[in-house]
Amino acid sequence: MKMTKYLRSAVLLISSLLLLNIFTLSASAEINNNLIPPGEKLEVIYNQGTHLEGPAVAPDGQVYFCDLTPSSLAKGALLGGHIMKYDPKTKKITVFRSPSGQADGLAFDSAGRLIAAEAADYGGRRITATDLGTGKAIILAAEFDGRPLNSPNDVVADNTGRIYFTDPRYFGKEAMNQAVQGVYRIDRDGKIRLIIGNAGKPNGIALSPDQKTLYIDSNDNGLFDYRSSTAGLATRRGFDGILAYDLLEDGTAKFREIIYQSPGFRPDGMRIDSDGNIFVANYDPSHPGILVLSPKGEEKGYIQTPETVTNCEFGIGAENDVLFITGNKALYKIVTTHHGEKKAYQ
């Protein structure tokens, strides 16, 4: 019995050391991994943001991104957010819309319309579509079952014109009107359907290139409003990780598996490259950057950033190997060895 006890202890010790070595190898091998061509560096395009989010590239190659202005960070007047625009040709940054309704996530649909997920905190709490030709916008979704949405966060459009969005709550003192922090689908006929109600606190959303997998990441900070974190209350994080759902032809999502979770990983927005790899922003101040995963959730590399980042987006055309990254304060760009997937409007 004593020998068995000692053997068991030795096995446990060896197992612990092996796990430590695996973690160390993963940490040391995570940087670059051939993601960035030799000599390429992260470039700052804009650095005057309050809380940047949701980059999306238009059919003409211009990059739209959000600047959230939470009231908890307000110094004077409430601003209600901005949608900014970057022109890669002229290098100019301009204001596209202000206030933006606290637009958080952006995407372009198959018709080339700018789809915006507008959050709470004096925001629209809705999904809108803007015709870039006329500048006019329509409201696609603002309620479900007769009650306002919680706080739309991120959005993606498929090739058929259906739109999917997440509806958690991270900030804002408005009432929580939906029973779950869910994932919704807007059909071509305008009907809104709750398709996922058990994905933790859904944040980022993305589609695989073949449109058969819907990726949702949960970033559950244990808060419905940042003000709670200053009230002396203890909080407990919920589930942080990326989930994969089989997306059926009728738009129904069927849970398949959790493809990635790890200590120190707090996923935010994500994008997919042409090979189906997942580029996901890690909103963890201790290790900020873009984590790159295979479709099966295997680590392929990491792009470190100087500040916490929220989302990313590939360019199109000659710049489809350029990754645009939004941080809290800055918009970055970097040339990669990967290429963005085909857009819904292409």
Side-chain angles (χ1 to χ4, degrees):
M1 291 295 292
K2 288 184 179 180
M3 181 61 69
T4 301
K5 180 178 179 181
Y6 291 145
L7 284 173
R8 186 179 296 115
S9 298
V11 169
L12 288 173
L13 177 60
I14 293 171
S15 298
S16 298
L17 290 173
L18 285 173
L19 286 174
L20 178 60
N21 286 335
I22 289 171
F23 177 79
T24 303
L25 285 171
S26 176
S28 63
E30 69 184 1
I31 307 304
N32 199 327
N33 271 17
N34 299 317
L35 292 174
I36 309 301
E40 294 293 339
K41 295 182 180 180
L42 199 66
E43 178 186 342
V44 178
I45 298 172
Y46 175 78
N47 63 359
Q48 300 176 43
T50 300
H51 182 92
L52 301 185
E53 260 284 9
V57 176
D60 63 0
Q62 299 204 55
V63 183
Y64 292 73
F65 60 100
C66 304
D67 190 359
L68 284 163
T69 56
S71 59
S72 59
L73 301 178
K75 298 178 181 179
L78 297 174
L79 299 177
H82 321 291
I83 296 178
M84 311 296 290
K85 182 171 66 172
Y86 167 66
D87 187 337
K89 294 180 180 179
T90 65
K91 312 298 183 185
K92 290 183 178 180
I93 300 281
T94 56
V95 176
F96 172 72
R97 176 180 297 155
S98 181
S100 67
Q102 292 290 27
D104 193 336
L106 301 176
F108 282 89
D109 69 1
S110 56
R113 300 180 301 175
L114 176 63
I115 310 300
E118 300 179 11
D121 199 18
Y122 302 98
R125 298 171 70 183
R126 62 194 180 188
I127 305 295
T128 59
T130 301
D131 183 319
L132 294 185
T134 65
K136 293 182 179 180
I138 61 173
I139 298 172
L140 299 178
E143 297 181 342
F144 180 71
D145 277 350
R147 296 186 298 273
L149 297 170
N150 290 326
S151 184
N153 183 280
D154 206 357
V155 60
V156 67
D158 70 16
N159 292 336
T160 72
R162 288 181 296 213
I163 295 168
Y164 302 83
F165 68 94
T166 57
D167 185 44
R169 171 65 70 82
Y170 288 99
F171 58 90
K173 61 183 180 181
E174 297 93 335
M176 293 277 287
N177 298 105
Q178 295 299 328
V180 298
Q181 297 181 92
V183 180
Y184 296 84
R185 185 185 76 237
I186 305 173
D187 289 332
R188 293 181 294 275
D189 60 7
K191 291 185 179 179
I192 305 165
R193 292 175 170 83
L194 175 66
I195 61 170
I196 301 172
N198 60 352
K201 190 168 186 174
N203 188 308
I205 185 169
L207 280 166
S208 62
D210 64 5
Q211 309 274 288
K212 293 183 179 180
T213 301
L214 181 67
Y215 296 105
I216 304 293
D217 67 44
S218 172
N219 183 328
D220 192 345
N221 59 356
L223 300 169
F224 292 132
D225 184 71
Y226 293 138
R227 294 176 184 83
S228 302
S229 63
T230 62
L233 303 176
T235 59
R236 180 173 64 88
R237 294 197 67 85
F239 173 68
D240 293 319
I242 301 176
L243 307 98
Y245 292 80
D246 292 323
L247 194 61
L248 308 183
E249 289 187 7
D250 64 357
T252 301
K254 182 180 180 182
F255 176 71
R256 186 169 76 226
E257 60 183 330
I258 296 172
I259 66 167
Y260 190 83
Q261 60 181 142
S262 177
F265 177 62
R266 301 179 183 180
D268 205 322
M270 54 186 167
R271 293 292 187 270
I272 311 298
D273 73 6
S274 59
D275 294 321
N277 298 306
I278 305 164
F279 283 63
V280 56
N282 183 14
Y283 195 72
D284 187 324
S286 68
H287 193 49
I290 302 294
L291 172 65
V292 183
L293 303 168
S294 75
K296 294 182 179 180
E298 303 159 329
E299 293 184 16
K300 301 196 69 166
Y302 206 93
I303 302 172
Q304 283 187 313
T305 56
E307 64 167 332
T308 305
V309 292
T310 61
N311 211 328
C312 59
E313 170 73 309
F314 280 97
I316 63 171
E319 288 206 323
N320 75 342
D321 60 348
V322 175
L323 188 69
F324 296 94
I325 303 170
T326 49
N328 277 336
K329 301 294 183 183
L331 174 68
Y332 305 89
K333 65 180 288 189
I334 189 167
V335 176
T336 73
T337 56
H338 292 239
H339 297 82
E341 65 171 328
K342 188 176 181 180
K343 307 296 183 183
Y345 49 75
Q346 290 180 300

